[in-house]
Amino acid sequence: MLFLPFAATTPAGPPTLDRRANPKPATPYAFTRLWTGIIKVGPSLSPIPIPGGVRIVTPVISGTITGPALNGTVHGGIEYVEVYDSGATQVPNVLSYGTTSDGTPYLIRETGAGDQVSTIIEIGGKYAALAKEFIVSEAKLSDDRTVVVTNGYKIEDR
């Protein structure tokens, strides 16, 4: 669901249908937006050397999540990106936690490569079904590197 300490791209949107070449959709999957997060991040630490690259650690300070599947507050967390090959390869990892608008606690774990990440949410109560969904997220870091806008999508068969 969350963010990366570098500018990321936004998905191009739903797959298009090219009726000339193939009457079937370009992908057998549908993407349903679950939430949008507005996340405040702090300054990153200086890069930490790791074998073959560096790790960049950035604190998650606060935020809000709004959407059809989840509304709540981000209380904190951490993002850490492994950067290899002078920036050509980036592996983001994010842990964030908070509560929904009705007080249900959650933990979100994200990992991926580049600007798209796989998202796992640990949550119970009336939101428990989210923990079983296949979720991907994308993010955009503000120019001043203090806010991340992120979108979470459920992937399902058409």
Side-chain angles (χ1 to χ4, degrees), residues 63-149:
T64 58
I65 297 173
T66 57
L70 192 65
N71 291 285
T73 302
V74 176
H75 297 294
I78 187 170
E79 66 175 11
Y80 51 102
V81 178
E82 299 162 6
V83 181
Y84 301 98
D85 305 319
S86 299
T89 304
Q90 300 183 5
V91 181
N93 296 279
V94 180
L95 287 172
S96 63
Y97 61 92
T99 52
T100 64
S101 56
D102 64 2
T104 303
Y106 66 83
L107 175 76
I108 294 177
R109 295 182 290 143
E110 299 175 302
T111 191
D115 59 0
Q116 302 294 314
V117 295
S118 171
T119 303
I120 296 171
I121 183 167
E122 297 174 8
I123 193 167
K126 68 182 185 183
Y127 309 98
L130 285 173
K132 298 176 182 174
E133 297 291 352
F134 181 39
I135 302 171
V136 295
S137 299
E138 52 85 21
K140 173 73 172 146
L141 181 63
S142 65
D143 290 340
D144 66 2
R145 306 182 72 80
T146 62
V147 175
V148 176
V149 177

Side-chain angles (χ1 to χ4, degrees), residues 19-40:
R19 296 187 190 281
R20 295 170 295 150
N22 185 350
K24 295 180 181 178
T27 177
Y29 305 109
F31 295 81
T32 303
R33 188 181 71 83
L34 298 174
W35 62 72
T36 296
I38 308 295
I39 312 299
K40 183 176 179 185

